Each structure stands twice: as C-alpha cells, then as structure tokens.
Amino acid sequence: MNKFLAMEVFVQVVDTGGFTRAAENMKLPKATVSTLIQSLEGSLSVKLLNRTTRHVSVTAEGAAYYERCMRILSEVREAEDCVSQTRGSPAGRLRIDAPTGLASEVIIPALPDFLERYPDIRLELGCSDRQVDLVEEGVDCAIRGGRRLTDSSLIARRVGTMHYTTCASPAYLKRHGRPMHPNDLVHHRCVNYFSARSGKMFDWYFKKDGEKIQVALSSHIALSDSYAYTAAGLAGLGIVQMADFLMAPMLKDGRLVSVLDDWTNEPLPIHVVYPQNRHLSAKVRVFVEWVAQLFLNHATMR
C-alpha cells in the first residue's frame, strides 16, 4: 500500500463526504479508493469511517487521524513548494473556477501570459455563474463577486472591483422612454439577475451625492447567466444593470445606451477564495498574484 496516497485519499473522502466524489476529484477508480481506505484501516487496526449506502462519516479515531494527515500532507506540500520556488517554476494541476463572463472577457484573453510565465502548471478553468463547492468539487480556488461572503469555511482575498452601468437597447428606450431617477424603474420593464444556487434575486444599487438607494425590482424575466442576461438587454426585453467589462463594447457601438448617468452604481468587490484547511500552494499563490495584477491593470476592474 502507498501510505502517502492512502492518506491523501482518506482526506479527500472526509472532505467530500463520500467515496465517489473523492474518486472523481483524484481521478482514481472508486474501487481503488475503497481498497486504499480498507488497507489503511487494516494497517492501523482501527475503523476510520462509518459507511452506509448513502452516507460516509468519520469516526472519533478517524477525526484525530484526519487532523494528523492534514498536517503531514501540508508539510509535504510545503517541501514541494520550496523546491518549486527554488527552481522558479510552480508545477502541477491547478483547478480554478470563475464566473462565465469574467472568465471569457477578462481572464482567458490574458492567459497566454500566465501560461508563458508558468509553463509547468496544468490549468483547469471551470466557467460557470453557479457557485461551486470548492471542497466537494476539488477546486483549488475560485473567483467570486460579493459584498458579503458568508461562507466562514473559506479564506477570501480581495483582488479587484466590478463596476456596473444601467443601460437598455435604443429600441426599448424609444418605446418606453428613459428613467430619470432610480425610483422610476418600478414603472419600467427591468431584467433581474438571480443566483443559480439559492434562487435569490439581486437588488439594484445606486448612489449620488452621498445618497444611496437599494432597489428590489419585480420583473417579467430573470436570468442566472451573464451572457443570457446580456442577450436580454440587447433584445430590448428591459433595462439591465451590467458589469462594465461586458457592457463597454456594446455601449461604444450603440447597441446599448446608458441611463441614469448622474447616478453611479455600487461597485462589487471581487475576491479569490480557497478553503481554510488547504495549504496555499505555490501554484495557487502565483495565480492569485497574477489575477490581482490583471484586474489592477484592467480599466473596468480597478
């Protein structure tokens, strides 16, 4: 038995709560994961996990062993990172998750620079407006926007700011006119955005001369994907509040027109988040530093 691999598998099973997800994250057959756990329990002469057909939970002995495994694996990774830093090239698989629009419009166009700097990193970039579970899905870190990050199991580092503009298609404005104040939006057709995970509708934010307004608008259509939301605005379905990095080219060529120009929208902080119980490896650190610099240099993300 490869004791080190067995320890890694055990930690994954505990973190994800099951053999199937652990096998998927580690790209191992489920039978191999099961065999390694059985061999580990046999070598220790102790039961580490309670198993049912639907659930896996850690025993008291397993919980104590898990903490020791985490420390050992962390020290091993630190040793590997030390070697990686010495040779000047972090290496290995790096799995990132980012919102679709932000990934497509800002991150991916700049990735040739990142991959040229770090050729030994194998990058896996998940693009979705769904908020992933980093532990269960084996994601090293994720880029998220939010005024309040409520998941206390994650460490967050602010890396940028997302700015918004309220706008509509020329056809919509010709038919329905322009709102002159945020409160006028209740008399307009507005397109809402909702969380794919919770179903919660996002409020609209405005500020002017120290006055702040937060508006919860009813709508005849709501969407949970940034590109679908953009398409709704272009189709004249209503007024939208879009991130500047998406809206800028459409505003420039006249496909969309900004409204409420004397009101600014409350910016949304952008963070890189990662689990508390994971060692921040060299490859994650260099990605975080790189993306923070990328956003700093991007005209719409400062």
Side-chain angles (χ1 to χ4, degrees):
M1 175 185 63
N2 183 328
K3 181 65 72 71
F4 183 74
L5 177 60
M7 292 169 69
E8 287 189 305
V9 166
F10 172 65
V11 167
Q12 273 290 313
V13 171
V14 175
D15 281 346
T16 62
F19 285 68
T20 300
R21 182 67 74 179
E24 291 173 352
N25 287 353
M26 298 192 71
K27 293 181 169 53
L28 292 172
K30 185 179 177 182
T32 300
V33 170
S34 180
T35 299
L36 283 169
I37 294 297
Q38 290 174 5
S39 299
L40 190 60
E41 289 178 323
S43 70
L44 295 170
S45 299
V46 68
K47 188 175 183 181
L48 299 172
L49 299 168
N50 293 312
R51 308 165 179 81
T52 68
T53 55
R54 295 185 177 181
H55 186 64
V56 175
S57 61
V58 66
T59 64
E61 294 84 358
Y65 188 66
Y66 170 85
E67 295 300 326
R68 295 291 183 91
C69 286
M70 287 297 298
R71 286 199 292 269
I72 292 169
L73 294 173
S74 177
E75 289 177 2
V76 170
R77 292 185 185 113
E78 285 178 5
E80 292 175 341
D81 289 346
C82 181
V83 173
S84 293
Q85 291 167 6
T86 300
R87 74 183 186 186
S89 181
R93 169 184 173 272
L94 175 61
R95 188 172 178 192
I96 309 296
D97 192 85
T100 304
L102 185 61
S104 300
E105 302 296 328
V106 180
I107 297 172
I108 291 175
L111 279 181
D113 170 68
F114 178 79
L115 296 176
E116 184 177 354
R117 292 189 195 186
Y118 309 107
D120 296 323
I121 290 179
R122 303 189 311 277
L123 185 65
E124 297 178 7
L125 176 59
C127 303
S128 171
D129 287 350
R130 176 183 65 89
Q131 187 169 298
V132 302
D133 186 310
L134 274 68
V135 173
E136 283 196 7
E137 300 182 44
V139 176
D140 292 300
C141 65
I143 300 173
R144 290 183 180 168
R147 293 178 175 86
R148 292 178 296 274
L149 299 179
T150 57
D151 192 338
S152 60
S153 68
L154 300 177
I155 295 174
R157 174 181 166 180
R158 184 165 176 169
V159 291
T161 304
M162 196 179 300
H163 300 273
Y164 289 82
T165 296
T166 308
C167 50
S169 71
Y172 174 87
L173 295 176
K174 183 177 180 179
R175 183 175 181 182
H176 298 282
R178 284 174 171 264
M180 303 308 293
H181 188 278
N183 291 336
D184 294 340
L185 293 174
V186 298
H187 305 297
H188 278 265
R189 288 177 174 265
C190 294
V191 181
N192 270 334
Y193 191 93
F194 69 92
S195 166
R197 185 173 187 177
S198 67
K200 179 182 180 298
M201 295 290 176
F202 289 94
D203 291 346
W204 296 36
Y205 293 83
F206 301 90
K207 63 180 181 179
K208 176 184 176 184
D209 300 331
E211 179 185 3
K212 292 186 178 182
I213 297 177
Q214 180 178 345
V215 186
L217 296 168
S218 60
S219 65
H220 64 297
I221 183 170
L223 300 149
S224 64
D225 175 86
S226 54
Y227 279 136
Y229 189 79
T230 303
L234 291 170
L237 290 174
I239 297 175
V240 295
Q241 196 171 78
M242 294 170 52
D244 285 359
F245 67 83
L246 284 171
M247 184 213 69
M250 302 168 200
L251 183 64
K252 185 176 181 180
D253 64 21
R255 285 179 291 165
L256 291 172
V257 178
S258 64
V259 298
L260 299 173
D261 293 333
D262 51 344
W263 290 82
T264 58
N265 304 119
E266 193 74 18
L268 191 72
I270 304 174
H271 299 85
V272 173
V273 297
Y274 54 90
Q276 285 187 357
N277 64 350
R278 287 194 188 166
H279 170 66
L280 188 59
S281 65
K283 57 183 180 285
V284 175
R285 282 201 301 272
V286 297
F287 177 80
V288 172
E289 295 299 330
W290 176 82
V291 82
Q293 191 63 44
L294 173 66
F295 291 166
L296 180 63
N297 294 334
H298 198 281
T300 67
M301 307 295 290
R302 300 188 186 100

